[in-house]
Amino acid sequence: MATSPLIIPHHVAIVMDGNGRWAKKRYLPRIAGHKQGVDTLSNCVKACLDRGIGVLTVFAFSSENWSRPSEEVSGLMELVVLALARKVPSLNANGVQIHFIGDRQRFSEKVSSALVQAEASTADNQRLIFNVCFNYGGRWDIVQAAQKLASRGEAITELSLDRAMALAHVPDPDLLIRTGGELRISNFMLWQAAYSELYFSESLWPEFDEAALDRAIAAFSARQRRFGQTPEQVNGLAPA
Ligand code: IPE
Ligand code: IPE
Ligand code: MG
Protein backbone atom coordinates (compact mmCIF):
# COMPACT_ATOMS: atom_id res chain seq x y z
CA MET A 1 0.00 0.00 0.00
CA ALA A 2 1.32 3.43 -0.91
CA THR A 3 1.94 5.59 2.12
CA SER A 4 0.88 9.22 1.98
CA PRO A 5 3.62 11.82 2.31
CA LEU A 6 4.18 13.14 5.83
CA ILE A 7 2.59 16.54 6.40
CA ILE A 8 4.82 18.73 8.57
CA PRO A 9 2.87 21.26 10.66
CA HIS A 10 4.03 24.84 10.05
CA HIS A 11 3.39 25.98 13.63
CA VAL A 12 3.85 23.63 16.58
CA ALA A 13 2.83 24.74 20.07
CA ILE A 14 3.79 22.80 23.21
CA VAL A 15 2.65 22.86 26.84
CA MET A 16 5.88 21.59 28.39
CA ASP A 17 4.45 19.81 31.41
CA GLY A 18 5.89 17.19 33.75
CA ASN A 19 9.20 18.65 34.94
CA GLY A 20 8.27 18.37 38.62
CA ARG A 21 7.20 14.73 38.33
CA TRP A 22 10.35 13.88 36.39
CA ALA A 23 12.44 15.30 39.24
CA LYS A 24 10.35 13.66 41.96
CA LYS A 25 10.80 10.22 40.39
CA ARG A 26 14.55 10.74 40.79
CA TYR A 27 14.35 12.16 44.34
CA LEU A 28 15.60 15.50 43.00
CA PRO A 29 14.29 19.02 43.73
CA ARG A 30 11.67 20.28 41.24
CA ILE A 31 14.13 22.83 39.83
CA ALA A 32 16.32 19.94 38.61
CA GLY A 33 13.38 18.93 36.42
CA HIS A 34 13.11 22.45 35.03
CA LYS A 35 16.87 22.45 34.29
CA GLN A 36 16.57 19.18 32.42
CA GLY A 37 13.55 20.70 30.66
CA VAL A 38 15.75 23.47 29.24
CA ASP A 39 18.03 20.86 27.62
CA THR A 40 14.99 19.07 26.22
CA LEU A 41 13.76 22.36 24.80
CA SER A 42 17.11 23.05 23.21
CA ASN A 43 17.01 19.62 21.50
CA CYS A 44 13.41 20.25 20.47
CA VAL A 45 14.37 23.53 18.76
CA LYS A 46 17.06 21.66 16.78
CA ALA A 47 14.58 18.92 15.88
CA CYS A 48 12.10 21.54 14.63
CA LEU A 49 14.82 23.11 12.47
CA ASP A 50 15.73 19.69 11.02
CA ARG A 51 12.09 18.99 10.17
CA GLY A 52 11.41 22.35 8.50
CA ILE A 53 8.91 23.53 11.11
CA GLY A 54 8.52 27.31 10.75
CA VAL A 55 7.19 28.34 14.16
CA LEU A 56 7.62 26.78 17.61
CA THR A 57 5.67 28.24 20.54
CA VAL A 58 6.22 26.84 24.04
CA PHE A 59 4.50 27.43 27.36
CA ALA A 60 7.26 28.00 29.92
CA PHE A 61 5.53 29.90 32.75
CA SER A 62 1.83 30.62 33.13
CA SER A 63 0.02 33.56 34.72
CA GLU A 64 -1.05 31.02 37.37
CA ASN A 65 2.46 29.67 38.07
CA TRP A 66 3.22 32.65 40.38
CA SER A 67 1.22 30.75 42.99
CA ARG A 68 3.93 28.07 43.27
CA PRO A 69 6.39 28.10 46.21
CA SER A 70 8.52 31.26 45.99
CA GLU A 71 11.70 29.18 45.82
CA GLU A 72 10.48 27.47 42.65
CA VAL A 73 9.34 30.78 41.09
CA SER A 74 12.67 32.48 41.76
CA GLY A 75 14.51 29.37 40.53
CA LEU A 76 12.59 29.55 37.24
CA MET A 77 13.38 33.26 36.86
CA GLU A 78 17.08 32.57 37.40
CA LEU A 79 16.93 29.65 35.03
CA VAL A 80 15.59 31.72 32.14
CA VAL A 81 18.41 34.25 32.55
CA LEU A 82 21.00 31.47 32.71
CA ALA A 83 19.51 29.56 29.77
CA LEU A 84 19.56 32.67 27.58
CA ALA A 85 23.17 33.44 28.48
CA ARG A 86 24.08 29.88 27.43
CA LYS A 87 21.83 29.32 24.43
CA VAL A 88 21.53 32.62 22.52
CA PRO A 89 24.78 32.00 20.56
CA SER A 90 23.41 28.71 19.24
CA LEU A 91 20.04 30.32 18.43
CA ASN A 92 21.96 32.82 16.32
CA ALA A 93 24.12 30.13 14.71
CA ASN A 94 20.93 28.28 13.71
CA GLY A 95 18.81 31.18 12.46
CA VAL A 96 16.32 31.14 15.33
CA GLN A 97 14.39 34.33 16.14
CA ILE A 98 13.22 34.31 19.77
CA HIS A 99 10.19 36.17 21.16
CA PHE A 100 8.93 36.28 24.73
CA ILE A 101 5.16 36.41 24.94
CA GLY A 102 3.48 37.50 28.15
CA ASP A 103 3.03 40.25 30.70
CA ARG A 104 6.46 41.65 31.60
CA GLN A 105 5.38 44.02 34.36
CA ARG A 106 6.11 41.60 37.18
CA PHE A 107 9.66 40.68 36.13
CA SER A 108 12.78 42.02 37.80
CA GLU A 109 15.04 44.35 35.82
CA LYS A 110 17.52 41.50 35.36
CA VAL A 111 14.93 39.17 33.83
CA SER A 112 13.36 41.90 31.65
CA SER A 113 16.68 42.99 30.20
CA ALA A 114 17.72 39.37 29.48
CA LEU A 115 14.51 38.91 27.46
CA VAL A 116 14.93 42.19 25.57
CA GLN A 117 18.58 41.44 24.77
CA ALA A 118 17.84 37.93 23.51
CA GLU A 119 15.06 39.26 21.27
CA ALA A 120 17.22 42.08 19.92
CA SER A 121 20.19 39.86 19.20
CA THR A 122 18.14 37.25 17.28
CA ALA A 123 15.72 39.64 15.54
CA ASP A 124 17.19 39.21 12.04
CA ASN A 125 17.14 35.40 12.07
CA GLN A 126 14.70 33.81 9.64
CA ARG A 127 14.78 29.99 9.83
CA LEU A 128 12.57 29.44 12.87
CA ILE A 129 10.35 31.74 14.90
CA PHE A 130 10.57 30.58 18.50
CA ASN A 131 7.97 32.02 20.90
CA VAL A 132 8.47 31.44 24.60
CA CYS A 133 5.28 32.12 26.56
CA PHE A 134 6.52 33.40 29.88
CA ASN A 135 4.08 34.90 32.37
CA TYR A 136 1.52 34.20 29.70
CA GLY A 137 -2.15 33.30 29.86
CA GLY A 138 -4.62 33.01 27.01
CA ARG A 139 -7.07 35.17 28.97
CA TRP A 140 -4.40 37.82 29.57
CA ASP A 141 -3.73 37.97 25.83
CA ILE A 142 -7.40 38.40 24.91
CA VAL A 143 -7.86 41.10 27.57
CA GLN A 144 -4.73 43.05 26.62
CA ALA A 145 -5.74 42.91 22.94
CA ALA A 146 -9.25 44.21 23.74
CA GLN A 147 -7.80 46.96 25.95
CA LYS A 148 -5.42 48.01 23.17
CA LEU A 149 -8.31 48.35 20.71
CA ALA A 150 -10.49 50.19 23.24
CA SER A 151 -7.72 52.69 24.01
CA ARG A 152 -7.33 53.42 20.28
CA GLY A 153 -11.11 53.66 19.86
CA GLU A 154 -11.02 50.81 17.31
CA ALA A 155 -13.97 48.51 16.65
CA ILE A 156 -13.64 44.99 18.03
CA THR A 157 -13.87 42.45 15.23
CA GLU A 158 -12.34 38.99 14.86
CA LEU A 159 -9.66 40.46 12.62
CA SER A 160 -8.84 43.52 14.74
CA LEU A 161 -8.68 41.45 17.93
CA ASP A 162 -6.51 38.85 16.22
CA ARG A 163 -4.09 41.55 15.08
CA ALA A 164 -3.85 43.03 18.57
CA MET A 165 -2.92 39.72 20.20
CA ALA A 166 0.60 39.13 21.49
CA LEU A 167 0.97 36.28 18.99
CA ALA A 168 -0.15 38.32 15.96
CA HIS A 169 3.25 37.87 14.29
CA VAL A 170 2.58 34.16 13.62
CA PRO A 171 -0.30 32.14 12.15
CA ASP A 172 -2.39 29.97 14.49
CA PRO A 173 -0.78 26.71 15.65
CA ASP A 174 -1.46 23.68 13.46
CA LEU A 175 -0.45 21.16 16.12
CA LEU A 176 -0.76 21.71 19.86
CA ILE A 177 1.06 19.17 22.01
CA ARG A 178 0.79 18.76 25.77
CA THR A 179 3.27 16.48 27.49
CA GLY A 180 2.94 15.05 30.99
CA GLY A 181 -0.33 13.20 30.51
CA GLU A 182 -2.78 15.89 31.66
CA LEU A 183 -5.74 16.40 29.32
CA ARG A 184 -6.25 20.15 29.61
CA ILE A 185 -5.20 23.46 28.07
CA SER A 186 -4.38 25.35 31.31
CA ASN A 187 -5.00 28.80 29.81
CA PHE A 188 -2.70 28.33 26.79
CA MET A 189 -3.51 29.94 23.42
CA LEU A 190 -7.27 30.08 24.06
CA TRP A 191 -7.88 32.23 21.00
CA GLN A 192 -5.31 30.80 18.62
CA ALA A 193 -5.97 27.09 19.27
CA ALA A 194 -9.52 27.33 17.89
CA TYR A 195 -8.65 24.90 15.07
CA SER A 196 -5.38 23.36 16.21
CA GLU A 197 -5.03 19.60 16.20
CA LEU A 198 -4.53 18.49 19.81
CA TYR A 199 -2.03 15.80 20.81
CA PHE A 200 -1.47 14.59 24.34
CA SER A 201 1.71 12.73 25.23
CA GLU A 202 2.27 10.63 28.35
CA SER A 203 5.98 11.54 28.25
CA LEU A 204 7.09 13.95 30.95
CA TRP A 205 8.61 17.01 29.28
CA PRO A 206 12.26 16.23 30.17
CA GLU A 207 11.80 12.88 28.37
CA PHE A 208 10.15 14.30 25.26
CA ASP A 209 12.74 13.42 22.61
CA GLU A 210 12.89 13.49 18.80
CA ALA A 211 11.08 10.18 18.53
CA ALA A 212 8.23 11.52 20.67
CA LEU A 213 8.03 14.64 18.47
CA ASP A 214 7.94 12.44 15.38
CA ARG A 215 5.04 10.45 16.85
CA ALA A 216 3.13 13.69 17.37
CA ILE A 217 3.87 14.82 13.80
CA ALA A 218 2.80 11.42 12.42
CA ALA A 219 -0.48 11.65 14.35
CA PHE A 220 -1.02 15.18 13.02
CA SER A 221 -0.24 14.07 9.48
CA ALA A 222 -2.89 11.35 9.67
CA ARG A 223 -5.66 13.75 10.76
CA GLN A 224 -8.18 15.32 8.41
CA ARG A 225 -8.60 19.03 9.13
CA ARG A 226 -12.08 20.05 8.12
CA PHE A 227 -12.56 23.61 9.45
CA GLY A 228 -16.30 23.07 9.54
CA GLN A 229 -16.63 21.41 6.11
CA THR A 230 -17.73 17.85 5.35
CA PRO A 231 -15.13 15.13 4.61
CA GLU A 232 -16.36 15.02 1.00
CA GLN A 233 -15.79 18.75 0.57
CA VAL A 234 -12.31 18.47 2.03
CA ASN A 235 -11.50 15.63 -0.37
CA GLY A 236 -12.73 17.69 -3.31
CA LEU A 237 -15.62 15.26 -4.00
CA ALA A 238 -18.35 17.79 -3.24
CA PRO A 239 -18.71 21.50 -3.97
CA ALA A 240 -16.74 23.67 -1.56
C1 IPE B 1 5.90 22.35 33.70
O1 IPE B 1 6.23 21.33 34.58
C2 IPE B 1 6.79 23.57 33.87
C3 IPE B 1 6.14 24.71 34.51
C4 IPE B 1 4.87 24.81 34.76
C5 IPE B 1 7.00 25.82 34.87
P1 IPE B 1 5.61 21.25 36.02
O2 IPE B 1 6.52 21.97 36.94
O3 IPE B 1 4.20 21.67 36.02
O4 IPE B 1 5.70 19.69 36.29
P2 IPE B 1 4.65 18.78 37.03
O5 IPE B 1 3.34 18.95 36.31
O6 IPE B 1 4.59 19.23 38.45
O7 IPE B 1 5.22 17.41 36.89
C1 IPE C 1 0.92 24.54 32.40
O1 IPE C 1 1.39 23.60 33.31
C2 IPE C 1 1.87 25.69 32.31
C3 IPE C 1 3.18 25.40 31.77
C4 IPE C 1 3.58 24.28 31.23
C5 IPE C 1 4.08 26.52 31.79
P1 IPE C 1 0.86 23.56 34.80
O2 IPE C 1 1.53 22.41 35.45
O3 IPE C 1 1.04 24.87 35.47
O4 IPE C 1 -0.69 23.28 34.61
P2 IPE C 1 -1.78 22.80 35.65
O5 IPE C 1 -1.69 23.71 36.83
O6 IPE C 1 -1.47 21.40 36.03
O7 IPE C 1 -3.08 22.90 34.90
MG1 MG D 1 2.43 20.68 35.74
Side-chain angles (χ1 to χ4, degrees), residues 137-188:
R139 289 179 175 179
W140 162 82
D141 198 8
I142 294 167
V143 169
Q144 71 77 29
Q147 285 172 342
K148 219 186 274 174
L149 295 178
S151 74
R152 295 185 203 139
E154 270 181 56
I156 293 183
T157 64
E158 264 194 39
L159 189 64
S160 69
L161 199 59
D162 196 62
R163 286 188 178 154
M165 305 283 284
L167 280 158
H169 60 292
V170 290
D172 289 345
D174 300 293
L175 170 62
L176 194 161
I177 300 169
R178 181 174 185 141
T179 65
E182 306 290 2
L183 306 181
R184 57 178 173 260
I185 294 292
S186 300
N187 200 12
F188 190 46

Side-chain angles (χ1 to χ4, degrees), residues 16-22 30 34 59-62 65 68 72 76 182 204:
M16 308 183 292
D17 196 22
N19 296 348
R21 281 164 282 166
W22 182 90
R30 293 179 61 86
H34 298 312
F59 204 4
F61 190 87
S62 76
N65 288 147
R68 293 194 176 194
E72 182 170 350
L76 283 163
E182 306 290 2
L204 302 173

Side-chain angles (χ1 to χ4, degrees), residues 109-152:
E109 183 50 41
K110 192 175 164 192
V111 171
S112 297
S113 64
L115 308 190
V116 170
Q117 274 176 34
E119 288 179 332
S121 104
T122 64
D124 294 332
N125 298 334
Q126 297 297 336
R127 268 182 79 201
L128 176 73
I129 296 186
F130 176 34
N131 300 309
V132 180
C133 294
F134 198 68
N135 193 22
Y136 169 90
R139 289 179 175 179
W140 162 82
D141 198 8
I142 294 167
V143 169
Q144 71 77 29
Q147 285 172 342
K148 219 186 274 174
L149 295 178
S151 74
R152 295 185 203 139

Side-chain angles (χ1 to χ4, degrees), residues 3-9 51 214 217-222:
T3 50
S4 2
L6 190 68
I7 301 165
I8 299 291
R51 284 154 187 75
D214 284 336
I217 294 173
F220 168 83
S221 184

Side-chain angles (χ1 to χ4, degrees), residues 48-112:
C48 287
L49 285 162
D50 291 344
R51 284 154 187 75
I53 288 164
V55 184
L56 173 67
T57 301
V58 297
F59 204 4
F61 190 87
S62 76
S63 315
E64 290 75 26
N65 288 147
W66 292 104
S67 61
R68 293 194 176 194
S70 63
E71 194 184 276
E72 182 170 350
V73 172
S74 57
L76 283 163
M77 296 296 145
E78 276 169 39
L79 190 56
V80 77
V81 175
L82 204 71
L84 288 174
R86 286 209 189 120
K87 307 283 184 185
V88 166
S90 101
L91 297 181
N92 276 324
N94 289 293
V96 180
Q97 187 186 109
I98 197 168
H99 296 259
F100 285 90
I101 312 298
D103 186 356
R104 300 194 184 187
Q105 288 178 29
R106 226 171 137 173
F107 297 146
S108 68
E109 183 50 41
K110 192 175 164 192
V111 171
S112 297

